[in-house]
Amino acid sequence: MDLPVIAPPAPQASGCSAGSCGSTSDQMAGMADALRARVQDHPCYSEDAHHYFARMHVAVAPACNIQCHYCNRKYDCANESRPGVVSEVLTPDQAVKKTLAVAATIPQMTVLGIAGPGDPLANPERTFETFRQLSAKAPDIKLCVSTNGLSLPEHVEELARHNIDHVTITINCVDPDVGAKIYPWIFWNNKRIHGRDAAAILIGQQQKGLEMLVARGILVKVNSVLIPGVNDEHLKEVSRIVKAKGAFLHNVMPLIAEPEHGTFYGVMGQRSPSPAELKALQDACEGDMNMMRHCRQCRADAVGLLGEDRGDEFTMDKIEAMEIDYEAAMLVRAAFREKVSAELQAKRARAHAPLSPALPVAPQIIRFIPRADEQKPLGRPVLMAVAAKNGMVAIHFGHAREFLVYEASAGGARLVGHRKADAYCSGDETCGDGEFTLDRTIKVLAGCEVVLCSRIGYEPWGKLEAAGIQPNGEHAMQPIEEAAMAVWHEMLAAGKLDAKASAAKCA
Ligand code: CLF
Ligand code: SF4
């Protein structure tokens, strides 16, 4: 007769998710130390880092050499930013001044990226002049660039010369027939080329550029815009190919297409994917490569932590009035980095350590394993929206402008996306005003079963519950993963996690 055995404790109750989930904690587990050092303070390449470190973009690149159906040239490059607001285009000198001012004011700012408003490599003089000056004046700032890839091969040498360690290529397809539905034309060898031929050239250049960057040891992130009915299924093939060629990370972003943006897709009524469609595709691609789930589709002049924009504090007239002592600022920046590095190391150690009695662990973690024919699923995954700051459950529900979405399961909690919301509450006492905004927020949270926040008012609590979303304010100022797992275990203990319910919730 088979006797039940006591299972060893689960590898962790929090922090790190199991399998190749794409969370940075997992990526890090298998990553060489040298590679870790290259991404650990880059908010886009490391999910952990994005809670602590900020990036900024300088909009020095106005021109573009291709046309995408999701772009209107009046707006920022939609490959790496969301359309909707015109950037102030800067000269390289202005861009350098702005970067030094931001770096001196925001010690968290570790990365300077050039991502538009057109294509950085279609404006090589302006782009490389900015990089050249910054590598001399601010050597502690990482330099990053994002391109559509058409001119990439001819610039790889120069990128390497400027010590640019992180390059993003937007690759929406590897099949020219798909590409012809996304790109109406490219500008190539002084000629405008249309349709399938244009797409074939662009794809060839992107793939060649990717191979050349990887051969030089430069980290490559691939961005893809998910366009329902155009490249949704095809992106799995894209993911497989770019991974095989050595890309480090794949970032599948939802198409943004509104008629008021005046883009071809917007005007033609091409729809954007739902959060569930986006997640399903990211999950499908994940088997092949590390997926980025925390992209905020930032503007080409964004400043601050991902998800926040402090650009208004750094307009050129304000910068002219600042006195900047960059050498002194470098010391503050170095101290900040050291402090955060220590915090991140401690977090990783906690995530990979055996269970500590101090952590909130449900009794189910140590359990009897039934015989194979009696085994039941341990509990289904649950989507939880979190009003977060710096990796903690730290924001009042009514003040949240975005919610991070975590998937909690027996393997741990992992970030799977984010949802934008409008803050509707102006103070603790008035939480519950702005009914219309609250209704919209509840809609935005569709598919989530729990909301974790630091506080929440009576009225939104009731409305969330009525919508089938359980508010929870009991884990204020706890690390997100620990809070999410504690709630998941409570749900498991209460018998709310049988497999049947999941299909209905996550579809
Ligand atoms: Fe900027 Fe892009 Fe560098 Fe990041 S953004 S150039 S890699 S520093 Fe980041 Fe913004 Fe997403 Fe881009 S969240 S849009 S992935
Ligand atoms: Fe617009 Fe960027 Fe496409 Fe150029 S590459 S057309 S700027 S989205």
Side-chain angles (χ1 to χ4, degrees), residues 64 66-68 70-71 73 77-79 117-118 148:
C64 191
I66 69 171
Q67 178 65 59
C68 306
Y70 45 76
C71 177
R73 290 290 160 72
C77 171
N79 276 338
N148 62 39

Side-chain angles (χ1 to χ4, degrees), residues 42-45 54-57 78-82 111-116 142-147 166-168 221 223 249 251 253 292 294-299 302 306-307:
H42 195 307
C44 302
Y45 283 70
R55 54 72 187 104
M56 71 174 285
H57 290 164
N79 276 338
E80 185 71 7
S81 56
R82 72 182 151 74
V111 176
L112 179 280
I114 300 184
K142 271 189 176 30
L143 303 175
C144 190
V145 70
S146 169
T147 175
H166 300 74
V167 175
T168 296
K221 169 165 75 64
N223 281 2
L249 195 61
N251 174 24
M253 309 182 294
M292 178 178 185
H294 60 282
C295 175
R296 304 299 204 281
Q297 291 173 280
C298 3
R299 292 166 43 144
L306 301 191

Side-chain angles (χ1 to χ4, degrees), residues 40-41 53 335-348:
Q40 68 183 2
D41 54 3
F53 292 112
F336 177 83
R337 254 183 233 224
E338 217 167 280
K339 180 173 162 269
V340 173
S341 281
E343 264 178 47
L344 281 172
Q345 259 173 28
K347 186 177 168 191
R348 268 178 222 126

Side-chain angles (χ1 to χ4, degrees), residues 317-385:
D317 52 331
K318 287 181 185 156
I319 290 166
E320 296 299 347
M322 289 180 186
E323 276 183 28
I324 301 160
D325 179 349
Y326 197 71
E327 276 182 22
M330 288 243 287
L331 296 177
V332 177
R333 292 169 55 73
F336 177 83
R337 254 183 233 224
E338 217 167 280
K339 180 173 162 269
V340 173
S341 281
E343 264 178 47
L344 281 172
Q345 259 173 28
K347 186 177 168 191
R348 268 178 222 126
R350 274 204 311 276
H352 293 281
L355 286 174
S356 138
L359 290 177
V361 179
Q364 286 77 11
I365 286 288
I366 297 174
R367 63 193 185 277
F368 284 97
I369 295 182
R371 289 197 324 240
D373 58 348
E374 293 170 350
Q375 280 184 8
K376 291 185 187 143
L378 189 56
R380 63 179 171 79
V382 175
L383 292 186
M384 301 187 188

Side-chain angles (χ1 to χ4, degrees), residues 26 28 32 122 144 155 181 281 342 365 396 427 474 490:
D26 265 3
M28 292 294 188
C144 190
H155 291 299
K181 297 178 196 157
L281 186 74
I365 286 288
H396 188 299
E474 286 167 24
E490 282 159 25

